[in-house]
Amino acid sequence: MKKIISAALVLAAALSLAGAKAKKNDTLKVGATPEPHAEILKLVKSELKSQGIKLKIVEFTDYVTPNKALEDGQIDANYFQHLPYMESFNKEQGTHIASAGGIHIEPIALYSQKIKSIGELADGAKIAIPNDPTNEGRSLLLLQSAGLITLRDGAGLTATPLDVESNPSNFKFVEIEAASLPRVLADVDAAIINGNYAIPAGLNASRDGLFVEGSDSPYVNVVAVKQGNENDPRIRALVKALQSDKVRNWIKQRYPNGDVIAVF
């Protein structure tokens, strides 16, 4: 009996050590666009490492691939998108992606290399806007807030140029993939660019934006996971680390003009 008990204790100890080793080498793959998302994730690598979680950041430069990779299980989470986009993507693509926690807002802005104020937009000016559903609607709502156009009642977050009810200056809307907007800025009169593409291009919303979205924006950037994984201990640890004073203070110092605003 003693030998059996002894053997059982040895086996339990071995399993415990194996489990501890597995935890120590636990890898969490998170997809992100380069800035600010990947940069923010780098801040919490050491914190997660101390908890036995190895954070691997997988960078993407578009809005579709990181959600496909998440749905297919190639990555464990992603951090690049706001809630309305995530909800629209699920509806359009049949994916099962959920928010595990909100981290920050990136106000979008209208930029131009040809004019200095929205009052200088000429009749028939070409304005480039993102071509994905929610960011296109977001851009048109920004133009409406600036008093440049009027959308039909009920158009909301999924508005398209077809929902423009009043366009007194006959603006021409050029629908472009969001990632390409900084590159076409010189070819149009103005462009509305998302923060995660404006920042790497050297654009500052406060300094360069002709009109900037308000800080009360509902477009909160979230850590997204496959539905059902919201309470995975690794994911909870990631969200907790991101929603920290360290990250909040870094965001304030890195983006003092409000290009990125923490929401926690």
Side-chain angles (χ1 to χ4, degrees):
M1 179 63 74
K2 288 182 179 179
K3 290 183 178 180
I4 294 174
I5 293 174
S6 178
L9 290 173
V10 170
L11 178 60
L15 290 173
S16 177
L17 287 172
K21 186 176 181 181
K23 182 179 180 182
K24 185 176 180 181
N25 296 317
D26 204 358
T27 299
L28 181 66
K29 293 183 180 180
V30 181
T33 45
E35 190 173 4
H37 305 85
E39 294 302 310
I40 293 174
L41 285 170
K42 291 174 185 176
L43 296 175
V44 304
K45 291 186 77 169
S46 61
E47 167 66 21
L48 293 177
K49 184 178 180 180
S50 70
Q51 300 177 51
I53 302 169
K54 181 181 179 181
L55 177 61
K56 181 176 181 181
I57 302 168
V58 183
E59 293 194 7
F60 295 90
T61 57
D62 70 292
Y63 287 164
V64 176
T65 312
N67 271 346
K68 293 288 189 181
L70 180 57
E71 180 73 10
D72 296 342
Q74 298 174 43
I75 56 177
D76 302 300
N78 66 42
Y79 175 39
F80 77 94
Q81 65 192 317
H82 54 62
L83 278 170
Y85 179 82
M86 184 192 77
E87 292 165 356
S88 174
F89 194 93
N90 279 335
K91 184 178 179 180
E92 296 294 326
Q93 301 291 329
T95 47
H96 309 83
I97 299 170
S99 168
I103 310 301
H104 74 269
I105 292 170
E106 297 167 26
I108 59 169
L110 178 69
Y111 298 93
S112 177
Q113 292 183 353
K114 299 179 179 179
I115 59 174
K116 300 298 183 182
S117 70
I118 58 174
E120 296 178 39
L121 282 168
D123 189 84
K126 291 183 179 179
I127 302 177
I129 59 177
N131 66 357
D132 60 273
T134 52
N135 284 308
E136 183 168 58
R138 183 183 185 185
S139 298
L140 293 171
L141 288 170
L142 181 71
L143 294 176
Q144 179 172 253
S145 296
L148 298 175
I149 62 171
T150 301
L151 298 172
R152 66 171 180 79
D153 289 343
L157 303 182
T158 57
T160 73
L162 296 176
D163 295 305
V164 176
E165 190 170 73
S166 174
N167 183 9
S169 296
N170 300 305
F171 296 131
K172 310 299 182 186
F173 301 108
V174 184
E175 299 167 281
I176 303 288
E177 182 185 7
S180 300
L181 286 165
R183 296 194 292 272
V184 304
L185 186 56
D187 302 320
V188 294
D189 296 293
I192 296 177
I193 306 176
N194 291 72
N196 60 322
Y197 293 129
I199 294 169
L203 296 170
N204 178 290
S206 178
R207 181 192 66 218
D208 306 311
L210 303 183
F211 193 81
V212 184
E213 185 178 47
S215 59
D216 58 346
S217 167
Y219 295 87
V220 178
N221 281 233
V222 300
V223 173
V225 297
K226 191 80 173 285
Q227 287 176 7
N229 292 337
E230 296 92 328
N231 293 316
D232 181 319
R234 300 171 305 158
I235 299 299
R236 299 317 307 159
L238 172 63
V239 172
K240 183 177 180 181
L242 290 172
Q243 294 176 340
S244 66
D245 289 339
K246 177 182 179 179
V247 171
R248 181 190 294 109
N249 293 334
W250 183 88
I251 287 174
K252 286 181 179 179
Q253 293 173 6
R254 181 70 171 256
Y255 308 105
N257 295 314
D259 292 303
V260 179
I261 302 169
V263 299
F264 50 87

